[in-house]
Amino acid sequence: GFWSLALDLLIRELPQNGRSLAFTPVGLLAAAGQDSIVRLWNPQTGEVAQEFAGHQGALFAVAVSPDGRWLASGGGGDGTAPRNQEVRLWDATTGKELAQLHEDNGQKPDLPGWVYSIAFSADGKSLAVASPYAVRIWDLATRRQTHRLSKCSYDVAFSPTANRLALPGEFGIYDPESGKQLQALAADVRVQGCVAYSNSGKILASSDQQGIIQLWNAETGKELERRTGHTGGIRSVDYSADGTLA
């Protein structure tokens, strides 16, 4: 559903099972879910502006590039697809498939190659893809995988203001060009943790399976705040445009 937070009102329900959502810069809503089709919705009218079909299997992740030109999607959550670990890159305007980014040969037999999180870098040149056992970084100009970080998984977050990448697992801030960790963060944010940068890029939020949320100075790595209250694990954190953390 599409809600007005100012009015605390459900504006419109969209008829799609959406496991992952992402707004475009012009306010359209990309939704990916069980039926393996990504749809770009106009939330004001309820009309579908574009469809992106081609995946086999359920989808867990969708992302839109900062300039709105590209859309990336991935999943394979039902395990039925022969190449369920693929990520597809699309032209967000025409719906044309531009590329398929396939997993390397490092899969573990007991962990299927599902894609749980996708993120574009601030300059739109790189794409980070998180699976249950690794995070892969792709160069979008060459369509080549540049790094595979096997000690990180499940979630990814690029800084909106710097060439930095936050990852759970071996929790910290990474350089996407070298693949090296720049700053280790002192928290128990294991492989199923979640991360999100504030819009200013100055604060990093993290959550874990114990229901703890922590806020960090993204430059120094210093913990700024710790919040508790959830009775279970937290599967997602994000910032709104005005800086509110959800």
Short mmCIF file of all heavy atoms in Angstrom, two decimals, residues 19 26 37 53 90 106 110 113 148 159 199 209-210 217 229:
data_model
loop_
_atom_site.label_atom_id
_atom_site.label_comp_id
_atom_site.label_asym_id
_atom_site.label_seq_id
_atom_site.Cartn_x
_atom_site.Cartn_y
_atom_site.Cartn_z
N ARG A 19 8.04 -7.65 -2.09
CA ARG A 19 9.02 -7.97 -1.05
C ARG A 19 10.10 -6.90 -0.96
O ARG A 19 10.81 -6.80 0.03
CB ARG A 19 9.66 -9.33 -1.35
CG ARG A 19 8.72 -10.50 -1.16
CD ARG A 19 9.44 -11.80 -1.45
NE ARG A 19 8.64 -12.96 -1.08
CZ ARG A 19 9.01 -14.21 -1.31
NH1 ARG A 19 10.17 -14.45 -1.90
NH2 ARG A 19 8.24 -15.21 -0.94
N VAL A 26 11.78 10.53 -9.59
CA VAL A 26 10.57 11.28 -9.96
C VAL A 26 9.33 10.78 -9.24
O VAL A 26 8.22 11.21 -9.54
CB VAL A 26 10.35 11.25 -11.49
CG1 VAL A 26 11.49 11.93 -12.21
CG2 VAL A 26 10.16 9.82 -11.99
N ILE A 37 8.14 -10.61 -11.53
CA ILE A 37 8.07 -9.44 -12.40
C ILE A 37 8.27 -8.18 -11.56
O ILE A 37 7.66 -8.03 -10.50
CB ILE A 37 6.72 -9.36 -13.14
CG1 ILE A 37 6.55 -10.57 -14.06
CG2 ILE A 37 6.60 -8.07 -13.95
CD1 ILE A 37 5.19 -10.65 -14.72
N ALA A 53 10.12 -7.98 -17.12
CA ALA A 53 9.87 -9.42 -17.04
C ALA A 53 11.05 -10.19 -17.61
O ALA A 53 11.67 -9.77 -18.59
CB ALA A 53 8.59 -9.77 -17.79
N TRP A 90 18.24 -3.23 -15.94
CA TRP A 90 17.22 -2.80 -16.89
C TRP A 90 17.33 -1.31 -17.18
O TRP A 90 17.80 -0.54 -16.34
CB TRP A 90 15.82 -3.04 -16.32
CG TRP A 90 15.58 -4.39 -15.71
CD1 TRP A 90 15.89 -4.78 -14.43
CD2 TRP A 90 14.97 -5.52 -16.34
NE1 TRP A 90 15.50 -6.07 -14.23
CE2 TRP A 90 14.93 -6.56 -15.37
CE3 TRP A 90 14.44 -5.75 -17.60
CZ2 TRP A 90 14.39 -7.80 -15.64
CZ3 TRP A 90 13.89 -7.00 -17.88
CH2 TRP A 90 13.87 -8.01 -16.90
N GLY A 106 31.48 -19.60 -6.46
CA GLY A 106 31.80 -19.79 -5.05
C GLY A 106 30.62 -20.15 -4.18
O GLY A 106 30.70 -20.00 -2.97
N ASP A 110 24.81 -25.69 0.67
CA ASP A 110 23.68 -25.58 1.59
C ASP A 110 23.10 -24.17 1.64
O ASP A 110 22.19 -23.89 2.41
CB ASP A 110 24.10 -26.01 3.00
CG ASP A 110 25.26 -25.18 3.54
OD1 ASP A 110 26.01 -24.63 2.72
OD2 ASP A 110 25.40 -25.12 4.77
N GLY A 113 21.89 -19.39 -4.01
CA GLY A 113 22.37 -18.06 -4.36
C GLY A 113 21.30 -17.01 -4.42
O GLY A 113 21.21 -16.29 -5.41
N ARG A 148 34.62 -9.91 -4.44
CA ARG A 148 33.70 -10.82 -3.76
C ARG A 148 34.13 -10.89 -2.30
O ARG A 148 35.21 -11.39 -1.98
CB ARG A 148 33.74 -12.21 -4.40
CG ARG A 148 32.76 -13.21 -3.79
CD ARG A 148 32.89 -14.55 -4.49
NE ARG A 148 31.88 -15.47 -4.05
CZ ARG A 148 31.95 -16.23 -2.96
NH1 ARG A 148 33.03 -16.12 -2.18
NH2 ARG A 148 30.99 -17.04 -2.62
N SER A 159 27.30 4.82 0.75
CA SER A 159 27.18 6.19 1.23
C SER A 159 26.66 7.07 0.09
O SER A 159 27.09 6.91 -1.06
CB SER A 159 28.54 6.71 1.70
OG SER A 159 28.50 8.13 1.86
N ASN A 199 20.80 10.49 4.79
CA ASN A 199 20.89 11.19 3.51
C ASN A 199 22.11 12.12 3.45
O ASN A 199 22.61 12.41 2.37
CB ASN A 199 19.62 11.99 3.26
CG ASN A 199 18.42 11.07 3.11
OD1 ASN A 199 18.48 10.06 2.43
ND2 ASN A 199 17.32 11.41 3.77
N GLN A 209 20.02 -9.18 14.90
CA GLN A 209 19.00 -10.18 15.19
C GLN A 209 18.60 -10.20 16.66
O GLN A 209 17.70 -10.93 17.06
CB GLN A 209 19.49 -11.56 14.76
CG GLN A 209 19.62 -11.72 13.26
CD GLN A 209 18.31 -11.46 12.55
OE1 GLN A 209 17.33 -12.18 12.72
NE2 GLN A 209 18.25 -10.42 11.75
N GLN A 210 19.24 -9.37 17.49
CA GLN A 210 18.84 -9.23 18.89
C GLN A 210 17.92 -8.03 19.09
O GLN A 210 17.55 -7.72 20.22
CB GLN A 210 20.08 -9.08 19.77
CG GLN A 210 20.89 -10.36 19.95
CD GLN A 210 21.62 -10.77 18.70
OE1 GLN A 210 22.31 -9.96 18.09
NE2 GLN A 210 21.48 -12.03 18.31
N ASN A 217 28.94 7.39 13.82
CA ASN A 217 29.57 8.43 13.03
C ASN A 217 30.24 7.74 11.85
O ASN A 217 31.17 6.95 12.03
CB ASN A 217 30.59 9.20 13.87
CG ASN A 217 31.23 10.35 13.11
OD1 ASN A 217 31.70 10.19 11.99
ND2 ASN A 217 31.26 11.52 13.74
N GLY A 229 14.32 -2.22 22.35
CA GLY A 229 12.87 -2.20 22.49
C GLY A 229 12.18 -3.24 21.63
O GLY A 229 11.10 -3.72 21.96
#
